[in-house]
């Protein structure tokens, strides 16, 4: 990659990645906070329900935030795999995009709106499970630190 395309090849897909990370992370935290509050109001604030609550609310946050940014995720992946035309040529035609907007326009015109949600199932499952694990681990660490502090 370095010899043929130079250092810019290593940053292909960075713009959509940055556009994707900020809203996805913000959505994850706000959805997690909202669903946690709903859970606590519905079932009460029971510490025994901490792990199930953080897991379920984290999973919901992961799934919904991923669904919201999935079109940007597709654009990011399409831009990142450019340059591997030989590998992809056996699978059908290959397309070169000049940037984020060109990719969005090309996908929409050539494949339609549904194309932005290709691969949604594995992406959403992965996001749900990973965000559930992240928030469960976070809540467990906070709980442990609070217990240690209370013992002092």
């Amino acid at each position: 990659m370095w010899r043929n395309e130079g250092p810019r090849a290593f940053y292909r897909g960075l713009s959509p990645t940055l556009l994707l990370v900020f809203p996805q992370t913000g959505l994850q935290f706000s959805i997690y906070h909202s669903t946690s509050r709903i859970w606590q109001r519905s079932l009460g604030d029971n510490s025994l329900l901490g792990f199930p609550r953080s897991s379920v609310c984290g999973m919901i946050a992961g799934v919904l935030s991923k669904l919201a940014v999935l079109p940007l995720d597709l654009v990011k992946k399409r831009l990142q795999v450019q340059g591997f035309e030989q590998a992809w040529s056996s699978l059908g035609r290959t397309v070169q995009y000049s940037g984020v907007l060109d990719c969005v326009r090309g996908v929409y015109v050539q494949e339609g709106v549904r194309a932005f949600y290709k691969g949604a199932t594995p992406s959403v499952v992965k996001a749900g499970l990973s965000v559930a694990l992240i928030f469960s681990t976070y809540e467990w660490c906070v709980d442990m630190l609070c217990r240690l502090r209370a013992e002092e």
Side-chain angles (χ1 to χ4, degrees):
M1 285 175 58
W2 181 270
R3 271 184 270 138
N4 295 336
E5 300 176 58
R8 290 188 66 182
F10 293 100
Y11 298 97
R12 194 180 300 122
L14 182 62
S15 297
T17 300
L18 294 176
L19 289 172
L20 171 115
V21 167
F22 296 117
Q24 184 176 10
T25 304
L27 283 169
Q28 284 174 358
F29 278 96
S30 62
I31 293 168
Y32 177 76
H33 180 71
S34 298
T35 54
S36 290
R37 285 181 34 205
I38 292 168
W39 179 291
Q40 288 174 336
R41 272 192 243 127
S42 301
L43 300 175
D45 191 14
N46 186 343
S47 61
L48 294 175
L49 297 176
F51 180 76
R53 178 187 52 80
S54 59
S55 297
V56 171
C57 294
M59 185 174 286
I60 293 168
V63 166
L64 294 179
S65 62
K66 188 63 171 184
L67 283 172
V69 298
L70 206 54
L72 272 174
D73 195 38
L74 177 105
V75 170
K76 174 194 77 156
K77 288 174 184 169
R78 294 275 178 105
L79 291 173
Q80 287 175 333
V81 298
Q82 286 189 153
F84 298 100
E85 284 81 16
Q86 282 183 322
W88 292 103
S89 62
S90 64
L91 299 173
R93 66 181 173 82
T94 58
V95 181
Q96 280 291 101
Y97 301 109
S98 62
V100 174
L101 294 177
D102 184 44
C103 185
V104 170
R105 191 178 313 110
V107 170
Y108 177 74
V109 168
Q110 294 174 9
E111 302 173 62
V113 174
R114 293 186 69 188
F116 289 104
Y117 292 91
K118 283 184 176 178
T121 301
S123 270
V124 166
V125 168
K126 177 186 162 230
L129 293 174
S130 63
V131 175
L133 182 63
I134 289 166
F135 280 112
S136 296
T137 304
Y138 167 76
E139 293 288 354
W140 181 80
C141 290
V142 168
D143 186 50
M144 293 304 292
L145 290 171
C146 288
R147 288 180 191 191
L148 286 172
R149 189 172 184 192
E151 289 177 6
E152 290 179 355

